[in-house]
Every structure is written in structure tokens, then in C-alpha cells.
Amino acid sequence: MRASRLVSLVLLLQARGPATAEELAERLEVSVRTVHRDVAALRDSGVPVEGERGPAGGYRLPGGYRTRLTGLTPSEAEALFVAAPATPLGLGGFLAEAQLKLLAALPPQLRERADRAGRIFHVDHGAWFDETSPPAGLDLVAGALWEARRLRIVHRGRDRVVDPLGLVLKGPTWYLVALTDAGERTFRVERLERIELLREPSTPPPGFDLPAYWERWSRAFEEGLPSVAVRVRVAPAALGELARVVDSRRRALLPASAEEAPPQARCADGRLELEIWFERLEHASALLGLGAAVEVLEPPRLRARLAEQAAELAALYRPALEHPSRG
């Protein structure tokens, strides 16, 4: 533990320059006294940490001093060599070059583990039989972010100039987070009808935090999706299959077994009477695939629609029942 902290201390001074003992203690989550002891230990081992007294004082490394220590744990070194979505952003070549440089700087034991991770793990962000490529204009959006320049976009027929704040890859879909005249907004890159990189510099709001924004936006998006309640009777053995077709936001409300269901939900025939949820009523047609294990009670129009679909299926397959030898 201490060895890892000593490496982190050296890397902090190397990457960020002079720092007070209080600042180092806060970053390393230790006491100021521990920082002083660690600095003494580094000096004893030959690392030339310099100290300055006074209000503006602190610790620093002399100019030109560099260490080849990376401070990486074995797991961190392995993670860096598992494929990342750099290619769609035009960074695939840079990532490979950076990995080679890092690999050369690693100690032999970490080099072996990192190299092996790259050989035995691969991340494929696409879905099966999905022939889609990264959306058109993704390179322009990424370029605007790297160069801190504004974009002119057309979305749903509306032309606007935005300050790009970040790109988010959610599953196979890329989203642009941008500052508009109406505040921060999120756009699916594939739905942008036009993208133009402008010469004007972008001016993101001070302290903007992309992960924090995305968490808030995602939660609001999920909570804002519509939900439709459906009343059903279900055989306990089909609860697992039922959970796979309902609205994922309400899935946790389903009992996993008859024993977990409230007493008022249990029917005399052993089935359970439950309220389940779907994002849209048409999505509830998936219940037909569960057969007689699930009976829809409400709403009446869904019950009627499933009856119609069942009748259509029965008419389609009735000849096979009447003349099985012809199948």
C-alpha cells in the first residue's frame, strides 16, 4: 500500500508541479504528517524531492527530473490494453501508438500482463448482424471538441449554433451534449441532419462535468418515458419469462417467486394477480409469446387485441392440427 502511495506522490509532483503538503494529503487521502514521512522516504531512496518553507512553499521535483515509473497496478495495466472505442473518433492509430510507448515503459512483469490482456480480451461494441457504421459527422463533432470550436447543426429541421461539451457512447449510439441558446441539450449524432465545423471558439460553462450531466439527463430521460399498466394473472413458473418482456424500469417490482408475492396477489388456483408495466401498450403484445401462462385481465382493449392475434395464429395453424401428416 505504501509503495503504491509513494509512486503516486512522485507522479503527482511530476505531472502537476509544486504542491503543498496539504494539497498532496488531500489528493492521496492521508494526513499531512504522512506526506512529510513519505517525502523523507523518497529522499532516502534517491528521489530528489525539494521542499520550500513559507506560505507559498511546498514540495517539488527539480527541473528536468523524470521518472519512468507509471504507478500502474497489474489490473490497471491490463485494462489499458483492452480495446476502447477510439477508432470511430479517429484516434485508433494514436491509441495503438500510445499503447506501444506505454508498453515499452512498463516494468517487465506489468508489460507481460498488459500484452497478454490485449491478446485475450477484445471489446466489440456492435450488435449481432448490425451492419451500421459510426454515424456520419461523428469525426466533425469529435474534431470540434478537440479543437474547442463551435458547431452549426440542423436537428429536426432547426438550424442552430452550439458549443459542443462532450460525446457519450451509450451502447451502439453516440450522443452529442452541447450548450444551446436554450441551455444544455443532448442530441443523437445520427439524427443530426447537417453538421458544420465553425471557426468560432466554443465557450463551455465553467466547471461543466460531463459524467454528472449524463447521469442527471439519463435519469430524467428514463423517468420521463411513458408507462402503461397491465393487470395479469400469471403462473409462478413464468415469472422469469414475464420479467424479460416488461418495462425494465419497473422490473424490480415483480416478485421473483410466489413466496415473494404479497398475500393479496395470490389466487386460489395458485396463480398470481399482478400489475405489470410497459413503455407502450403495443409492447404488451409480447405477452402472447408466453402462451396460457399469462392471462391479461386489463385493459380490455389489450385483452381483445391479444384474443384477435391468438385467433389469427389458430387459423394459420389449424390445418396442421386437422391434417398432421401433411406437415
Side-chain angles (χ1 to χ4, degrees):
M1 179 66 181
R2 190 188 186 201
S4 175
R5 191 176 67 242
L6 292 175
V7 170
S8 297
L9 196 158
V10 173
L11 292 174
L12 278 172
L13 293 176
Q14 180 172 299
R16 298 179 178 272
T20 65
E22 288 77 10
E23 291 170 338
L24 292 170
E26 183 179 353
R27 289 298 304 271
L28 298 172
E29 299 181 345
V30 296
S31 68
V32 172
R33 194 169 187 173
T34 298
V35 170
H36 292 316
R37 286 200 300 264
D38 286 351
V39 168
L42 287 170
R43 286 170 173 166
D44 290 341
S45 64
V47 179
V49 181
E50 299 177 348
E52 297 179 3
R53 297 184 180 276
Y59 292 113
R60 66 183 180 87
L61 292 171
Y65 179 84
R66 307 294 292 175
T67 176
R68 287 171 60 91
L69 289 173
T70 64
L72 296 176
T73 66
S75 296
E76 290 167 342
E78 291 165 354
L80 284 172
F81 284 82
V82 175
T87 301
L89 299 177
L91 299 175
F94 296 109
L95 175 64
E97 193 70 24
Q99 287 175 332
L100 283 174
K101 291 177 180 177
L102 177 60
L103 200 63
L106 289 175
Q109 64 274 23
L110 291 189
R111 187 184 312 147
E112 181 182 347
R113 294 187 65 156
D115 191 44
R116 184 166 182 267
R119 294 196 308 268
I120 64 176
F121 293 111
H122 175 66
V123 179
D124 183 353
H125 294 275
W128 287 112
F129 310 113
D130 182 7
E131 298 180 358
T132 58
S133 55
L138 180 63
D139 55 339
L140 287 176
V141 175
L145 284 162
W146 284 117
E147 299 172 24
R149 290 162 61 181
R150 285 185 150 187
L151 285 170
R152 180 183 297 278
I153 62 173
V154 177
H155 181 254
R156 295 182 177 177
R158 181 178 175 184
D159 188 322
R160 61 176 104 193
V161 174
V162 303
D163 292 290
L165 301 177
L167 269 171
V168 176
L169 178 62
K170 175 73 170 179
T173 306
W174 288 94
Y175 293 87
L176 165 66
V177 179
L179 182 64
T180 72
D181 53 6
E184 294 156 358
R185 293 290 184 270
T186 302
F187 306 92
R188 285 182 67 155
V189 176
E190 64 190 37
R191 292 182 181 172
L192 297 179
E193 298 149 35
R194 182 173 155 225
I195 305 172
E196 180 185 351
L197 183 61
L198 303 179
R199 294 184 178 275
E200 306 167 45
S202 64
T203 53
F208 176 75
D209 187 327
L210 180 61
Y213 167 85
W214 183 257
E215 183 179 354
R216 292 193 306 272
W217 183 86
S218 299
R219 190 183 308 116
F221 174 76
E222 290 179 355
E223 292 173 353
L225 290 173
S227 286
V228 178
V230 174
R231 197 83 186 163
V232 299
R233 284 198 192 100
V234 55
L239 284 171
E241 295 177 63
L242 182 64
R244 284 192 283 273
V245 301
V246 300
D247 189 335
S248 60
R249 294 170 293 162
R250 307 288 187 102
R251 190 171 292 157
L253 300 178
L254 275 178
S257 64
E259 291 73 23
E260 294 184 16
Q264 63 270 24
R266 299 171 189 171
C267 304
D269 61 0
R271 292 187 295 173
L272 303 174
E273 190 168 314
L274 303 171
E275 187 174 65
I276 59 176
W277 297 82
F278 292 89
E279 185 180 327
R280 296 179 181 176
L281 193 61
E282 54 264 33
H283 294 175
S285 293
L287 294 173
L288 195 64
L290 304 184
V294 178
E295 177 189 1
V296 171
L297 305 177
E298 296 176 350
R301 63 188 178 121
L302 174 61
R303 185 177 171 90
R305 177 57 184 150
L306 291 181
E308 290 174 4
Q309 292 175 329
E312 292 169 0
L313 284 172
L316 179 64
Y317 291 107
R318 186 174 293 114
L321 290 174
E322 294 173 349
H323 307 284
S325 62
R326 294 182 183 177

